[in-house]
Amino acid sequence: MISAPTLHVITTELTVGMFALSGICFLLMFIGKGPEVKDSVAHWALAGGLLATPLAILTGVNSAPGDGLDNPLLANKLLLSMSAVGLALGLLWTRITGGRQDGRLHPSIGMVSVGMVLLTAGIGGEYSRGETLVFFLPKDIVFLFPVWVSVILMAMGFTLIGLSITKSKATESH
């Protein structure tokens, strides 16, 4: 039987690998270089990373000592990974509905999402082994938004989804 920490390592490597592949393709999109398939690979890898993220989170919570989020590092990991999931879902939604992807904004948001996942992985290394590449981050502060900021961000997200739905319906009717 596989232990919870071993299963967490497997799911984390799958998640980080898919997001890293996506990030490389988003970087190629940003600089305008590389093969034509970079757009498809970026979004398919992003979707694969999104599918693996809940497994990494669940196995991480099961393998963590203690009662779950009793450590500021774990709380920051959860905040970063959920933010990355939100950005990635927005990118995929834009891609699926045929929204605007030209320019540098779409790949920039993709790279930010990937960066958040890589920061999450770095914090995980700090938590489990005491070693990380993100040593410059404060270790004892939890970056949480006040409730009013969260409500505004959620309203903005729903507004953007609503606008993309009405835009896609308007283009279908023409």
Side-chain angles (χ1 to χ4, degrees), residues 19 46 84-85 87-88 91 108-118:
F19 271 96
L46 193 66
V85 165
L87 287 175
L91 287 168
S108 296
I109 293 172
M111 288 187 291
V112 168
S113 176
V114 169
M116 288 179 157
V117 169
L118 296 178

Side-chain angles (χ1 to χ4, degrees), residues 86 90 93 149-165:
W93 181 263
V149 173
S150 298
V151 169
I152 289 172
L153 289 173
M154 191 167 34
M156 287 172 56
F158 286 134
T159 303
L160 290 172
I161 290 172
L163 288 173
S164 69
I165 290 172

Side-chain angles (χ1 to χ4, degrees), residues 27-56:
L27 177 62
L28 290 173
M29 288 170 61
F30 183 82
I31 62 174
K33 303 284 185 192
E36 292 297 318
V37 298
K38 63 186 174 279
D39 177 60
S40 295
V41 173
H43 290 92
W44 278 107
L46 193 66
L50 274 174
L51 290 174
T53 298
L55 295 172

Side-chain angles (χ1 to χ4, degrees), residues 128-142:
S128 62
R129 296 180 310 277
E131 57 189 29
T132 184
L133 291 175
V134 289
F135 55 86
F136 51 87
L137 290 177
K139 307 292 188 258
D140 56 349
I141 298 171
V142 178

